Amino acid sequence: MFNQLKPQPADKILALMAAFRKDPRTDKIDLGVGVYKDATGNTPVMRAIKAAEHRLWEEQTTKAYVGLVGDPAYGDAMINLILGNAVSRENIGAAATPGGTGAVRQAFELIQMASPDARVFVSNPTWPNHISILGYLGIETVAYRYFDDETRGVDFDGMIEDLKTARKGDVVLLHGCCHNPTGANLNLVEWQAVIDVLNATGAIPMIDIAYQGFGEGLEQDAAATRLVASSVPECLIAASCSKNFGIYRERTGLLMAVSQDAGQRQLNQGTLAYLNRQNYSFPPDHGARLVTMILNDDALRADWASELEDVRQSMLSLRQSLAGELQRLTGSDRFAFLGQHRGMFSRLGASPEMVEKLRADHGIYMIGDSRMNIAGLNADTVPILAQAIVDVGV
Ligand code: LMR
């Protein structure tokens, strides 16, 4: 049996992470995998997480199973964080999942189950693992235009034109905020236009929201997701706590199935529980429990929100200084888009050859499509990167 296996393609992001670790250069710079790093290069455990872990250690009396969709209190707290009051709780089915990727995977499986002929529209580009999982499940994908290589902003007209070709029952995958990999995002007027197209075509939105709090702020980053969820008959929302709670390895995510028809909720909820049971039974609890404790405790929540805001501000200031440094070196505003992008990533717009040169000659690692993790920088490395970008001729 085993000799029938074929080697599988390496995940681009994880392959780069491995290559970086192997590189013996001490002045190498990691702008690869999407993990927040502070100025010293550490990915800290957030203060509120530490405090909640401490409390949990003292208070927890059992590790018995919780439930197939996780603790309902986790679902409630996360729904509140992401959707606020945009949709009645009665209309939302929700299940805890192993990370945001788990939520994405379960969403795709639900789509396949409910609507085997549905195509999934994905932005060009999108997070490579979206494409990989869709391909693995044999779901047809259609790329819609998203990133304008010239302006390094959203090709909004192209996007709308392509979304208009969706058929009733197709699914359109959208990034709720902080688009990965480009950093280019829609404004709320543009989101409304996307919603109008979805409602005109009968296509169903699926929102992947993995960076709430990293863009414009916790509330602002949820605004588009809330607008969509309250404006369409049905949608799926895959959320991650990996980044905004800094609990990457705890695998903490949530999948929501939102319907305007409260009568539909029970069926949705049952389906989410069934899918969890088939794939891994009970979702991980540790991270979800910490998140619930934090969101339901005023002091912990305030401390978490304030540390998250510091993280957001630090990435914003790195963006501004990189854009400023490039402005100084080139005497032009060609790189001003870096200050306008939001979230952890920016697509630089360098060719694969330039990206390779940055790695080989300067020890600077970014994904092959020139996605940079801005949080991988610090005050010392910003000028080094800026000079290298100029040197390789971006
Ligand atoms: C990323 O895009 O780098 C992160 O979402 C990590 C991952 O799993 O790919």
Side-chain angles (χ1 to χ4, degrees), residues 250-286:
E250 301 298 352
R251 312 312 298 138
T252 308
L254 188 82
L255 175 60
M256 290 177 245
V258 184
S259 162
Q260 300 305 334
D261 171 6
Q264 181 67 39
R265 183 189 173 266
Q266 211 181 340
L267 186 57
N268 294 350
Q269 188 63 42
T271 304
L272 295 177
Y274 173 82
L275 282 173
N276 268 7
R277 182 66 171 160
Q278 303 321 303
N279 282 326
Y280 39 75
S281 253
F282 300 90
D285 179 69
H286 184 73

Side-chain angles (χ1 to χ4, degrees), residues 79-305:
I79 288 168
N80 187 272
L81 178 71
I82 298 163
L83 289 179
N85 296 320
V87 182
S88 159
R89 178 69 182 88
E90 299 301 303
N91 295 9
I92 307 170
T97 56
T101 307
V104 165
R105 170 67 188 259
Q106 299 296 73
F108 290 158
E109 292 212 17
L110 183 145
I111 292 164
Q112 199 167 43
M113 196 182 199
S115 185
D117 296 330
R119 303 173 299 168
V120 174
F121 280 57
V122 291
S123 59
N124 181 16
T126 191
W127 182 49
N129 210 22
H130 284 148
I131 311 274
S132 180
I133 301 173
L134 286 163
Y136 177 68
L137 292 173
I139 296 176
E140 188 180 341
T141 60
V142 181
Y144 61 84
R145 275 171 282 173
Y146 186 80
F147 191 67
D148 183 332
D149 286 321
E150 278 304 307
T151 64
R152 268 87 149 181
V154 177
D155 174 4
F156 181 65
D157 292 340
M159 175 181 185
I160 291 290
E161 209 177 294
D162 290 351
L163 292 186
K164 282 184 180 163
T165 67
R167 296 191 289 252
K168 188 172 164 55
D170 282 341
V171 173
V172 174
L173 179 53
L174 299 153
H175 298 222
C177 62
C178 307
H179 186 267
N180 178 6
T182 67
N185 298 290
L186 300 176
N187 62 39
L188 282 178
V189 175
E190 292 168 331
W191 273 102
Q192 185 57 57
V194 168
I195 291 167
D196 293 343
V197 173
L198 293 168
N199 282 332
T201 56
I204 298 152
M206 169 178 160
I207 297 184
D208 187 349
I209 178 159
Y211 296 88
Q212 187 183 351
F214 273 36
E216 304 286 359
L218 266 176
E219 291 296 307
Q220 296 88 327
D221 290 351
T225 304
R226 292 174 187 177
L227 185 65
V228 172
S230 58
S231 314
V232 298
E234 297 184 332
C235 71
L236 287 161
I237 302 169
S240 170
C241 299
S242 297
K243 330 273 162 154
N244 54 5
F245 286 87
I247 48 173
Y248 305 84
R249 64 176 67 168
E250 301 298 352
R251 312 312 298 138
T252 308
L254 188 82
L255 175 60
M256 290 177 245
V258 184
S259 162
Q260 300 305 334
D261 171 6
Q264 181 67 39
R265 183 189 173 266
Q266 211 181 340
L267 186 57
N268 294 350
Q269 188 63 42
T271 304
L272 295 177
Y274 173 82
L275 282 173
N276 268 7
R277 182 66 171 160
Q278 303 321 303
N279 282 326
Y280 39 75
S281 253
F282 300 90
D285 179 69
H286 184 73
R289 197 150 296 275
L290 302 174
V291 166
T292 312
M293 288 169 79
I294 292 169
L295 292 178
N296 289 337
D297 179 294
D298 287 347
L300 286 180
R301 187 178 178 129
D303 188 47
W304 164 70

Side-chain angles (χ1 to χ4, degrees), residues 11 13-14 32-35 101 127 180 211 243 345 371:
D11 181 281
I13 297 171
L14 304 185
V33 68
V35 170
T101 307
W127 182 49
N180 178 6
Y211 296 88
K243 330 273 162 154
F345 306 116
R371 183 193 84 169

